[in-house]
Amino acid sequence: MMADAGLQVACSEYLVSDEHYVASAIDKVLDDCSLADIKTTSKLHVANVQLQLSIYAYLFEKMNKGKQVPHLYAIWLPKPQYGKPAIKEVDRIPAECCERLIAAYVMGADPKPYVEELDMMGFKYEERKTGDVPEGVQPLVDELVIIKKQLDMLTEREKELKSALLTCMESN
């Protein structure tokens, strides 16, 4: 399917990061530095993959000075009952928006103002389904997830600092 579309993969599972707080693996980096993400969901949530790939593009360009990401693609591989596989090019969300969203995520801030900003720009983020949970539970779970991620990042940073300190102490 990718060959038919003229897309060639340069590498898979390419790790991008802001070097401090967030990191993720891009499913496919193409030979022209375009990015692709593979989805196997029953429905292709275009706005969600658009946000994901836009953040990947922002991080990719930040890590690879001088490289530009020309295209973003969602590769949809559903079970047969949900539709036919497809490759869909998605529009990119501006880098400034991605930067603000990442900062909000890292600080544990409410992302709603940033999502509303994207909505005003014409990018419609699709809220994930939370299921049938009692009122007030989901915000608590969401906050716990954010705190857990922050704790994990801080624990990793603590290990790095202790290692650096030990190295300094041993050399002195």
Side-chain angles (χ1 to χ4, degrees):
M1 190 169 69
M2 290 183 69
D4 290 345
L7 305 175
Q8 294 197 10
V9 176
C11 65
S12 298
E13 297 300 322
Y14 186 90
L15 187 63
V16 289
S17 170
D18 71 347
E19 303 285 328
H20 300 286
Y21 303 104
V22 296
S24 191
I26 301 168
D27 287 346
K28 304 290 177 193
V29 176
L30 308 181
D31 58 352
D32 68 347
C33 291
S34 291
L35 307 180
D37 194 70
I38 298 171
K39 297 296 180 194
T40 59
T41 53
S42 60
K43 177 186 176 203
L44 181 60
H45 301 278
V46 175
N48 294 2
V49 74
Q50 178 182 35
L51 179 58
Q52 178 184 0
L53 282 169
S54 294
I55 291 171
Y56 286 172
Y58 165 74
L59 294 172
F60 182 89
E61 290 174 354
K62 189 174 176 174
M63 290 181 64
N64 297 279
K65 301 290 183 210
K67 299 281 185 189
Q68 294 294 310
V69 175
H71 304 282
L72 303 175
Y73 299 99
I75 301 170
W76 187 45
L77 305 173
K79 291 181 179 178
Q81 67 263 34
Y82 299 121
K84 293 184 178 185
I87 297 174
K88 177 168 179 53
E89 186 169 359
V90 297
D91 293 328
R92 185 169 173 180
I93 293 169
E96 307 81 53
C97 294
C98 295
E99 190 171 21
R100 286 193 295 274
L101 277 165
I102 291 170
Y105 167 78
V106 167
M107 298 307 294
D110 181 7
K112 189 172 183 173
Y114 305 98
V115 171
E116 288 171 355
E117 176 187 4
L118 293 175
D119 286 346
M120 287 188 287
M121 296 172 67
F123 300 102
K124 298 294 181 195
Y125 181 73
E126 299 171 33
E127 290 283 335
R128 62 180 164 75
K129 302 268 189 282
T130 57
D132 294 328
V133 295
E135 187 175 330
V137 171
Q138 194 61 47
L140 298 173
V141 171
D142 291 344
E143 186 175 356
L144 281 173
V145 168
I146 290 168
I147 290 170
K148 174 68 172 127
K149 288 178 182 178
Q150 290 173 333
L151 283 170
D152 290 347
M153 289 185 290
L154 290 170
T155 300
E156 184 59 33
R157 183 65 181 142
E158 178 187 33
K159 288 178 188 175
E160 292 169 2
L161 291 171
K162 284 181 176 179
S163 176
L165 185 58
L166 179 61
T167 301
C168 287
M169 292 170 69
E170 289 174 343
S171 66
N172 289 312

